Amino acid sequence: MRRVDVAVVGAGPAGLCAAAEAARHGCEVALLDENATAGGQLFKQIHKFFGSRAHRAGRRGIDIGAELLDEVAGLGVHVCLGAPVWGLYEGRTLAVAEDDHSWRLAAGAIVLATGATENGLAFPGWTLPGIMGAGCAQTMINVHRVLPGRRVLMVGSGNVGLIVAYQLLQAGAEVAAVVDVLPRVGGYPVHAAKIARAGVPVLTGHTVKEVRGDGVAEEATVWAVDDAFRGLPGSERRIRVDTVALAVGLTPMAELAWLAGCRMGYVPELGGHVPFHDARMATSAPGVFVAGDVSGVEEASSAMEEGRLAGVWAAAAAGKVTEDRAAEAAEPHAAALDGLRGGPYGVHVRRGKQALADGVATAQVQVLGGGGV
Amino acid sequence: MTRRVLDHPILGPASARVPVTISFAGEPLEAFGGEPVAAALAAAGVRVFRRTSKRGEPRQLFCGIGRCTDCVMVVDGQPNVRTCVTPVREGMKVEVQDGRGVWERPRGDSGASRPSGVSPEDWAARSGAGQ
């Protein structure tokens, strides 16, 4: 069995930052990812990020990703790609699959940075070819440079829906409309303005009634909803599209946290079941940390700061840095996180994270599990 | 009009890639080395990757990053291959998957576990479809 000071699962923005920070604090670090390339979803983010300059604002995800890869390479992190982690056992031992064999890795501390997965939305016809996650459409156009369809309906006007709708236009697709069941656009006004300037109608208070087609998506019917989100008969509009992209939220991929016996809570503000964690990103399982979307769905900028925090405190848990030194190194990243979550768009996340930090079981937070590795 | 995004306002022109030829449903299909099977098929306008086992409903892509398994197909005789994360190779044989698919040859089967009286062909069919 191999051993490292810190094992990081997931080489997206959170995992890359965690690995870099742990390595910088003297740890031997293994960074594992099931994909053939590192970077997670950063390499499809061709838009400029928000926040202050300290958060790399004004930079595109693709450039930030390249920088982070250089950073971990320069720090001597062992990067294992094509290596899904399929088990987490006592003694902080990971089971890793690679090609046709499997191996074990023991770690002084573990950082889970496994990300999130796109939600579906059930309506008649939702399984037809041409109906896909907005992130899927984004991967196809920005990474593989193939249009998944020519005329797209975007469902959801949060930042993902708005940004991907705009990027579909940049790639040469037509966006027939953006619909959102809520009465207001969910994403940042600057993204909504770009869509509006491009002449794409944004139908708030609308949802998909059904999608029809002969074996593939050909026509979507959208309709207005009432205060209880019930469709209003008579308000139907038919829209010819070959693609429907769903930007209706993400769910944290917390399987390994469950396996680790982390105390879990259901927090709607954070996307579903997430491990309880404190400001150090420590879960209830000793030596097991979380960072990024698996600890509550946000976006890449906060994932990177959480990754830095988790990396520093994992190094402390592995005994490679003192608590005092760790606290000093963590401070700027904690402050940066507060900055990113400030303002009206951070209210939900702040409330969800606070509930987890308090460890309270409210009507909104059902506590599940307990134990620990 | 091609479905390839040849030029892009942010990403610039597509970089030159090695063309490869795969087969889809027995017909040759042009692809680029290193791209996933799903991207090559989508670029060629293929919209049905598999049919479900109970109702035969068509499926194509959903997550595009190897999570959901909506896009699985039979690749070089092996069913349930996630085409969104499987790169194309010259000469690769890709087919629409029907239900759970059938292994042309059971994986790792040396014939030792095949009961006497069952032909290899029947055993292969059973091993794939009977799980």
Side-chain angles (χ1 to χ4, degrees):
Chain A
M1 181 159 58
R2 300 179 212 180
R3 285 183 182 279
V4 288
D5 298 314
V6 173
V8 180
V9 186
L16 285 165
C17 288
E21 217 55 45
R24 184 169 290 122
H25 287 88
C27 295
E28 184 180 8
V29 180
L31 175 60
L32 307 142
D33 197 291
E34 64 181 330
N35 295 292
T37 52
Q41 309 312 311
L42 274 175
F43 287 100
K44 61 193 194 192
Q45 310 300 336
I46 63 170
H47 57 282
K48 292 179 177 172
F49 283 22
F50 287 118
S52 71
R53 191 149 303 167
H55 309 133
R56 295 183 161 93
R59 311 280 317 285
R60 300 178 198 280
I62 42 178
D63 301 324
I64 296 170
E67 261 177 30
L68 292 178
L69 295 189
D70 283 349
E71 187 182 353
V72 297
L75 289 162
V77 171
H78 304 292
V79 182
C80 308
L81 300 172
V85 173
W86 58 268
L88 199 164
Y89 298 99
E90 284 178 24
R92 290 187 290 277
T93 301
L94 297 170
V96 186
E98 211 166 354
D99 298 325
D100 58 350
H101 67 289
S102 195
W103 49 280
R104 286 181 300 157
L105 177 69
I110 291 172
V111 179
L112 302 176
T114 44
T117 190
E118 291 195 276
N119 294 338
L121 182 69
F123 45 76
W126 81 286
T127 58
L128 282 170
I131 301 174
M132 63 188 68
C136 178
Q138 192 184 31
T139 302
M140 294 301 284
I141 53 175
N142 294 347
V143 179
H144 307 316
R145 301 194 57 155
V146 171
L147 292 174
R150 300 197 190 284
R151 193 168 148 82
V152 186
L153 172 69
M154 178 62 67
V155 182
S157 73
N159 281 330
V160 172
L162 296 176
I163 288 169
V164 175
Y166 190 70
Q167 292 176 356
L168 281 161
L169 295 172
Q170 288 180 314
E174 196 183 339
V175 178
V178 177
V179 299
D180 198 307
V181 74
L182 293 173
R184 291 171 44 186
V185 168
Y188 295 152
V190 63
H191 293 311
K194 281 183 168 180
I195 292 296
R197 277 202 300 276
V200 175
V202 178
L203 304 174
T204 53
H206 278 71
T207 192
V208 181
K209 183 184 182 190
E210 63 176 340
V211 176
R212 291 191 197 193
D214 183 15
V216 296
E218 292 174 356
E219 184 184 77
T221 303
V222 302
W223 58 352
V225 297
D226 66 15
D227 291 346
F229 302 116
R230 288 173 302 220
L232 292 168
S235 69
E236 290 91 342
R237 298 185 206 195
R238 292 176 170 190
I239 304 175
R240 296 289 296 183
V241 287
D242 59 11
T243 303
V244 179
L246 303 176
V248 292
L250 297 136
T251 298
M253 290 200 287
E255 294 92 336
L256 290 173
W258 285 105
L259 273 179
C262 294
R263 190 167 173 237
M264 305 288 288
Y266 183 78
V267 187
E269 291 93 335
L270 299 179
H273 285 104
V274 287
F276 275 83
H277 57 272
D278 60 19
R280 299 179 172 192
M281 305 309 296
T283 69
S284 65
V288 178
F289 296 78
V290 284
D293 279 353
V294 69
S295 75
V297 172
E298 289 184 80
E299 33 76 57
S301 304
S302 44
M304 290 187 280
E305 299 297 352
E306 286 191 339
R308 302 265 173 205
L309 285 175
V312 168
W313 288 112
K320 302 300 277 190
V321 64
T322 64
E323 291 257 325
D324 286 350
R325 278 284 312 284
E328 198 180 318
E331 201 284 323
H333 302 296
L337 262 184
D338 284 346
L340 285 168
R341 290 174 185 152
Y345 288 94
V347 169
H348 274 66
V349 169
R350 288 201 300 274
R351 192 164 61 215
K353 289 284 186 178
Q354 192 58 49
L356 285 182
D358 295 346
V360 292
T362 66
Q364 290 286 290
V365 184
Q366 302 162 24
V367 184
L368 297 149
V373 177
Chain B
M1 195 178 80
T2 179
R3 289 170 182 267
R4 301 266 180 199
V5 182
L6 299 175
D7 205 358
H8 192 284
I10 306 293
L11 298 168
S15 50
R17 289 181 290 180
V18 182
V20 299
T21 304
I22 64 172
S23 86
F24 168 67
E27 299 290 324
L29 190 147
E30 297 306 314
F32 289 118
E35 74 178 346
V37 173
L41 295 182
V46 176
R47 301 200 66 191
V48 177
F49 286 11
R50 69 178 177 103
R51 293 190 177 275
T52 59
S53 51
K54 286 187 183 168
R55 297 183 185 167
E57 292 174 354
R59 294 284 191 273
Q60 190 205 26
L61 278 165
F62 184 77
C63 82
I65 53 169
R67 297 299 316 170
C68 75
T69 68
D70 220 23
C71 69
V72 297
M73 301 180 79
V74 181
V75 175
D76 288 337
Q78 186 185 331
N80 302 312
V81 173
R82 297 173 299 168
T83 56
C84 70
V85 289
T86 302
V88 295
R89 285 187 315 273
E90 180 67 39
M92 184 182 255
K93 209 173 106 190
V94 179
E95 288 153 291
V96 171
Q97 179 166 326
D98 187 17
R100 295 167 190 172
V102 176
W103 271 263
E104 278 179 10
R105 181 169 52 87
R107 279 207 290 180
D109 180 24
S110 61
S113 57
R114 173 165 54 92
S116 58
V118 177
S119 75
E121 290 73 22
D122 287 350
W123 180 241
R126 275 190 217 180
S127 303
Q131 303 303 308

